[in-house]
Amino acid sequence: MHAIEEALKPDREKLTQHPLYEQICTIEDIRLFMEQHVFAVWDFMSLVKKLQLSLTCTTLPWVPSPYPFAGRLINEIVWGEETDLNKDGKPLSHFEMYREAMQEIGASTEGIDQLLDKINTGQTIEEALVAANLPKHIHDFLSFTFSIIAQDKVHVVAAVFTFGREDLIPDMFIEMVNQLRNKGAQIEHLIYYLDRHIEVDGDEHGPMALKMIEELCQNDPVKISEAIEASKKALQLRLDLWNGILNQLPSPQLTP
């Protein structure tokens, strides 16, 4: 979907060139980043599962999906994201791998664990977000994700999923992480997590996701417009998330 990609290009460039990446220099910085970024890793899975519910048959009796290409893609992504193999060959979701990497480097999982505990006790996502008392940039990011899911417009969910993905983390961040490992930092699980995302998202799922958008929008100008509007909002909230993390790093920062 060339038109959507072009419309979102300036917003995506702001994120891939964000000063946050240059300011992350130490293990302490990575810990702070991961303690807040983990919420984006987590809510990504709800977008994935919403697409699976919308694009494949998950009820009985089974009936064929009207979106065979998109259905195949999302089933592949669910398989890879929800039941991949971690560094030690153990089946884990990518979220659980990320949490595992947090524990390895001493980052606190208390914030995300408390949110999941509230959900597991039966609270709605809205109730859990209020009770968790999260920083505004995290609360707003999560609220938007679940508002998009609640709209129940599959082309909009697919657009937010496709254009607000973790491929927004640029190569310079990954290189910085590698440099810290070369200095003796114990971050093997984080390196593995990042490598898996590069391998799966860039080489396989990224290009297929663009074809999924094309199948779902069907050159309908209204659907394309809705997809662009939602994706722009998603990217702005990711920018706000990055700004929020940047401003909590130890040295004084300037929000772009």
Side-chain angles (χ1 to χ4, degrees), residues 44-232:
F44 174 78
M45 282 306 303
S46 288
L47 288 171
V48 171
K49 299 300 285 188
K50 175 62 177 179
L51 287 172
Q52 186 182 39
L53 290 171
S54 300
L55 298 174
T56 68
C57 183
T58 58
T59 58
L60 296 174
W62 177 87
V63 294
S65 166
Y67 305 108
F69 181 89
R72 176 181 174 84
L73 168 65
I74 205 62
N75 275 336
E76 286 188 9
I77 291 176
V78 169
W79 176 74
E81 292 283 344
E82 196 170 30
T83 54
D84 202 358
L85 298 177
N86 75 350
K87 182 176 176 293
D88 302 316
K90 176 184 176 182
L92 280 181
S93 68
H94 280 201
F95 164 74
E96 290 167 301
M97 287 186 200
Y98 195 89
R99 189 180 179 282
E100 192 174 58
M102 292 175 68
Q103 292 176 317
E104 180 183 49
I105 70 167
S108 173
T109 63
E110 182 179 357
I112 188 65
D113 290 347
Q114 286 184 354
L115 179 63
L116 296 185
D117 285 345
K118 295 179 189 307
I119 293 171
N120 285 332
T121 59
Q123 290 188 12
T124 66
I125 183 62
E126 294 82 6
E127 291 169 341
L129 289 179
V130 171
N133 195 30
L134 299 169
K136 186 176 186 301
H137 53 276
I138 297 176
H139 180 278
D140 291 350
F141 187 90
L142 297 177
S143 291
F144 174 76
T145 297
F146 287 95
S147 72
I148 288 295
I149 290 172
Q151 285 183 28
D152 206 25
K153 292 184 177 181
V154 66
H155 59 286
V156 171
V157 177
V160 170
F161 162 83
T162 299
F163 298 110
R165 295 163 62 89
E166 297 308 299
D167 65 355
L168 293 168
I169 295 179
D171 292 342
M172 62 180 292
F173 177 77
I174 297 166
E175 177 60 26
M176 180 275 302
V177 171
N178 274 309
Q179 288 176 9
L180 288 173
R181 178 178 61 176
N182 293 337
K183 293 178 182 178
Q186 296 299 310
I187 50 176
E188 298 304 317
H189 285 87
L190 176 57
I191 294 289
Y192 182 84
Y193 169 85
L194 292 171
D195 285 346
R196 286 298 294 153
H197 263 285
I198 293 169
E199 179 182 349
V200 174
D201 290 348
D203 296 341
E204 302 172 24
H205 294 162
M208 291 175 69
L210 295 176
K211 293 183 180 179
M212 173 178 67
I213 298 293
E214 186 174 355
E215 181 179 32
L216 296 177
C217 285
Q218 300 176 333
N219 288 320
D220 183 327
V222 174
K223 289 183 177 179
I224 292 172
S225 177
E226 290 177 339
I228 291 173
E229 181 182 357
S231 297
K232 278 184 168 291

